[in-house]
């Protein structure tokens, strides 16, 4: 159903929202917390001029999804899918700063797209920036209590079960009503490493070289001649001793 074409009467009573033509009733105050999980976190700096004043427009951008459900618009078919997440610093923070969250749809060039904006205390914003620049914050997740609606029959959904969250309708019954809330937890982490590629088996250690048994190679002519000369000299020496012995007798 295209909510921009038909105006429907919306009534809210005793914490329940009813939309003309729909049997579904919506309630607020779910025990579960709304969760967003985002990746592709990146820092954007800059300035903007508004009403003649120069304002700093530092922010983080990321693409977010609802990890355990979906974000929808009451009275409209389809789910949000990827949500454009923007994180901004609060201009002022009190002694007990709250982290704020706003959810809705914005129309640009005739296209309606979902968005989420988180407003962080300056200390939280600077800590996130430092970790992002050092490579420790590529993915972020947060949980919040919000004014989003759920179907009345889904009130008993426990953690782990898929749960659809709904933006309400404005009083005109045509456009979605933004939801607001307080962020209770916010965490960031580096991008997980890809699954380790199976290591190539190390080559088996080379077998120790086999020492070949020396074979009896035929002696060269020079070696044979040397042996003959040595034997001849030994024979002459023995003859000399024998002649000395004979002479002494």
């Amino acid at each position: 159903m295209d909510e921009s074409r038909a105006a429907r009467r919306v009534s809210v009573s005793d914490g329940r929202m009813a939309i003309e033509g729909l049997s579904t009733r919506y309630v607020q105050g779910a025990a579960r917390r709304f969760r967003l999980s985002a990746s592709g976190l990146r820092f954007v700096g800059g300035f903007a001029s508004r009403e003649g004043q120069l304002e700093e427009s530092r922010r983080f951008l990321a693409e977010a999804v609802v990890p355990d459900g979906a974000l929808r618009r009451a009275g409209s078919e389809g789910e949000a899918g990827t949500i454009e997440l923007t994180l901004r610093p609060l201009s002022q923070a009190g002694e007990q700063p709250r982290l704020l969250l706003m959810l809705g749809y914005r129309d640009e060039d005739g296209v309606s797209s979902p968005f989420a904006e988180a407003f962080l205390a300056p200390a939280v914003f600077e800590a996130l920036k430092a970790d992002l620049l050092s490579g420790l914050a590529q993915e972020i997740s947060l949980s919040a209590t919000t004014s989003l609606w759920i179907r009345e029959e889904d009130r008993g959904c426990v953690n782990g079960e898929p749960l659809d969250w709904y933006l309400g309708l404005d009083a005109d019954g045509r456009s979605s009503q933004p939801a607001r809330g307080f962020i209770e937890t916010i965490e960031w982490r580096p991008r997980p490493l890809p699954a380790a590629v199976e290591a190539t088996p190390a080559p088996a250690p080379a077998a120790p070289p086999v020492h070949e048994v020396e074979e009896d190679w035929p002696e060269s002519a020079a070696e044979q001649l040397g042996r003959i000369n040595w034997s001849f000299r030994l024979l002459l020496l023995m003859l000399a001793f024998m002649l000395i012995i004979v002479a002494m007798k």
Side-chain angles (χ1 to χ4, degrees):
M1 181 185 300
D2 187 352
E3 65 178 9
S4 64
R5 294 185 179 180
R8 286 153 294 175
R9 187 172 57 187
V10 180
S11 62
V12 178
S13 176
D14 296 329
R16 289 175 170 81
M17 178 177 65
I19 301 174
E20 181 183 8
L22 297 180
S23 60
T24 301
R25 297 293 183 268
Y26 303 90
V27 296
Q28 289 178 318
R32 283 176 57 175
R33 297 294 177 259
F34 176 75
R35 296 175 58 237
L36 278 179
S37 179
S39 60
L41 188 67
R42 54 201 181 275
F43 177 76
V44 178
F47 292 85
S49 178
R50 293 186 179 90
E51 299 180 356
Q53 293 185 350
L54 189 63
E55 298 180 357
E56 193 173 16
S57 59
R58 297 183 303 158
R59 60 198 183 277
F60 296 100
L61 301 178
E63 288 72 45
V65 295
V66 182
D68 52 1
L71 178 64
R72 301 178 181 272
R73 291 178 287 181
S76 179
E77 296 179 356
E79 62 182 62
T82 302
I83 303 169
E84 180 183 346
L85 174 63
T86 304
L87 301 104
R88 306 180 187 274
L90 287 168
S91 58
Q92 296 180 352
E95 295 181 358
Q96 296 181 348
R98 303 298 297 267
L99 310 181
L100 310 178
L101 180 66
M102 183 169 67
L103 300 150
Y105 270 75
R106 60 169 59 98
D107 296 321
E108 295 181 354
D109 300 328
V111 178
S112 184
S113 57
F115 74 90
E117 291 201 15
F119 299 88
L120 309 180
V124 177
F125 187 89
E126 293 300 329
L128 177 56
K129 179 181 176 182
D131 283 351
L132 175 65
L133 296 179
S134 61
L136 299 177
Q138 283 90 27
E139 297 186 350
I140 193 168
S141 60
L142 59 87
S143 64
T145 55
T146 70
S147 59
L148 288 168
W149 300 82
I150 62 172
R151 295 180 300 181
E152 190 170 19
E153 58 266 29
D154 292 337
R155 180 181 289 179
C157 281
V158 298
N159 289 331
E161 294 182 2
L163 179 62
D164 292 335
W165 301 83
Y166 292 84
L167 295 164
L169 281 179
D170 279 335
D172 60 9
R174 291 179 181 271
S175 55
S176 295
Q177 186 179 49
R180 296 171 174 81
F182 295 109
I183 298 174
E184 295 188 348
T185 63
I186 181 169
E187 299 177 347
W188 53 82
R189 65 192 67 84
R191 184 179 297 108
L193 295 175
V197 179
E198 186 176 353
T200 304
V210 178
H211 296 285
E212 297 181 358
V213 179
E214 296 183 358
E215 299 181 1
D216 296 332
W217 295 96
E219 294 179 334
S220 64
E223 291 175 341
Q224 293 179 0
L225 182 58
R227 285 182 178 274
I228 293 173
N229 291 339
W230 170 249
S231 300
F232 184 72
R233 288 196 298 269
L234 184 59
L235 179 60
L236 292 177
L237 183 60
M238 292 179 63
L239 288 174
F241 273 103
M242 292 178 64
L243 290 174
I244 294 172
I245 294 172
V246 170
M248 290 178 63
K249 290 183 178 180

